[in-house]
Amino acid sequence: MLEIGNLNAGYGDMPVLKEISISIGAGQIISVVGSNGAGKTTLLKAISGIIRSKGAIAFNHEVISNLQPHAIVRRGIVHVPEGRKIFPEMSVDENLMMGAFLHQKDYRRNLEKVFALFPKLAERRKQLGGTMSGGEQQMLAIGRGLMGNPKLLLLDEPSLGLSPLFTDVVFGAISEIRNSGVTVLLVEQNVYQSLRISTRGYVMETGRIVLSGTGVELLDNPAVKTAFLGM
Ligand SMILES: Nc1ncnc2c1ncn2[C@@H]1O[C@H](COP(=O)(O)OP(=O)(O)OP(=O)(O)O)[C@@H](O)[C@H]1O
Ligand SMILES: [Mg+2]
């Protein structure tokens, strides 16, 4: 569904991503894990057209490299950014409405799906986004993404800063989202939980993919165990 080949990208003269190749099949959860500054967020920005890149990005066999962000969203790639970035002065309902911008027709159906996935949002429809807890804001950010009818959902560190309880809720929701037919590219520092639910994973280090395999293979890999699992 998404094929990335020899992708290079950076900021100004500074290269960050170096010859990244990643393949994502429909209906999969693929995770990219790595430490701070590895380039995970930069990868998602390149896919969603926020920064320019060299190399190939193809979505359902169409080259989408360097299209404008709105053109990429229209094709069904929705990016839930790092740090949630919900609208703090808007209510839960209004935040979800913003996500539905391109898909007014499916508004009711998608709203029901989001509320089924996160019942807490249904209880808090009138609450301002900015007054919600970190975990609730993450649910809202994912919910807003789902209102945009994604075929491929890009999730940037959804569990960052969350309690163990909320982390479990978020990872459970990601599995449910995949089960509902949405493909997921997950970027995370919670290596254990991510690989556990992933079809395949990629380990990124200073802008390069240094290791890849099925989730199970990577969880069993000695280098992954030492670097990320404290074993
Ligand atoms: N807007 C920017 N301008 C210049 N350099 C940037 C910019 N954003 C990120 N970088 C640099 O690019 C590199 C990769 O950053 P990136 O945010 O992609 O890492 P990351 O893997 O997402 O890290 P984290 O886990 O901390 O979120 C870092 O060295 C960072 O300082
Ligand atoms: Mg990041």
Side-chain angles (χ1 to χ4, degrees):
M1 172 182 238
L2 189 78
E3 294 290 336
I4 299 176
N6 272 314
L7 190 75
N8 291 270
Y11 304 94
D13 289 340
M14 193 183 70
V16 175
L17 301 179
K18 296 156 196 149
E19 282 141 49
I20 300 283
S21 295
I22 284 177
S23 176
I24 303 177
Q28 298 182 337
I29 299 176
I30 297 293
S31 55
V32 174
V33 299
S35 334
N36 290 119
K40 305 181 299 295
T41 296
T42 304
L43 173 65
L44 296 190
K45 285 182 178 171
I47 296 170
S48 55
I50 300 168
I51 61 165
R52 307 292 88 196
S53 60
K54 291 202 184 80
I57 307 174
F59 183 59
N60 291 331
H61 308 291
E62 180 199 9
V63 175
I64 58 159
S65 326
N66 296 314
L67 290 182
Q68 291 299 314
H70 67 84
I72 291 177
V73 175
R74 270 180 209 287
R75 282 162 174 78
I77 301 181
V78 174
H79 186 164
V80 179
E82 192 172 14
R84 351 256 192 240
K85 309 247 165 51
I86 53 129
F87 302 107
E89 304 295 334
M90 290 186 178
S91 67
V92 166
D93 264 347
E94 288 162 344
N95 267 278
L96 294 174
M97 221 175 274
M98 294 302 282
F101 186 64
L102 291 172
H103 296 279
Q104 315 272 1
K105 217 167 38 69
D106 304 315
Y107 177 74
R108 286 272 144 224
R109 191 172 51 97
N110 284 334
L111 196 66
E112 274 168 30
K113 276 199 213 164
V114 168
F115 287 159
L117 188 63
F118 299 122
K120 188 137 222 172
L121 294 180
E123 295 163 16
R124 304 294 182 89
R125 294 179 66 161
K126 301 294 166 223
Q127 188 174 336
L128 293 186
T131 66
M132 300 183 79
S133 75
E136 291 164 356
Q137 290 190 21
Q138 187 60 60
M139 294 178 191
L140 182 54
I142 296 174
R144 186 182 56 185
L146 292 173
M147 294 301 290
N149 249 356
K151 296 191 179 87
L152 173 64
L153 190 65
L154 311 177
L155 295 175
D156 196 343
E157 307 233 21
S159 82
L160 190 71
L162 303 190
S163 68
L165 184 71
F166 267 117
T167 299
D168 287 348
V169 170
V170 163
F171 278 101
I174 295 169
S175 294
E176 282 190 47
I177 290 167
R178 186 266 320 271
N179 294 343
S180 78
V182 178
T183 307
V184 177
L185 175 56
L186 173 63
V187 152
E188 262 290 344
Q189 286 189 47
N190 190 327
V191 174
Y192 174 71
Q193 293 255 39
S194 310
L195 292 179
R196 218 167 48 91
I197 61 167
S198 291
T199 320
R200 291 185 65 78
Y202 295 84
V203 179
M204 192 186 263
E205 231 171 64
T206 56
R208 287 182 195 280
I209 301 296
V210 293
L211 212 52
S212 67
T214 65
V216 175
E217 282 167 359
L218 288 179
L219 280 173
D220 215 32
N221 181 294
V224 172
K225 283 184 174 168
T226 324
F228 298 112
L229 304 176
M231 292 160 87

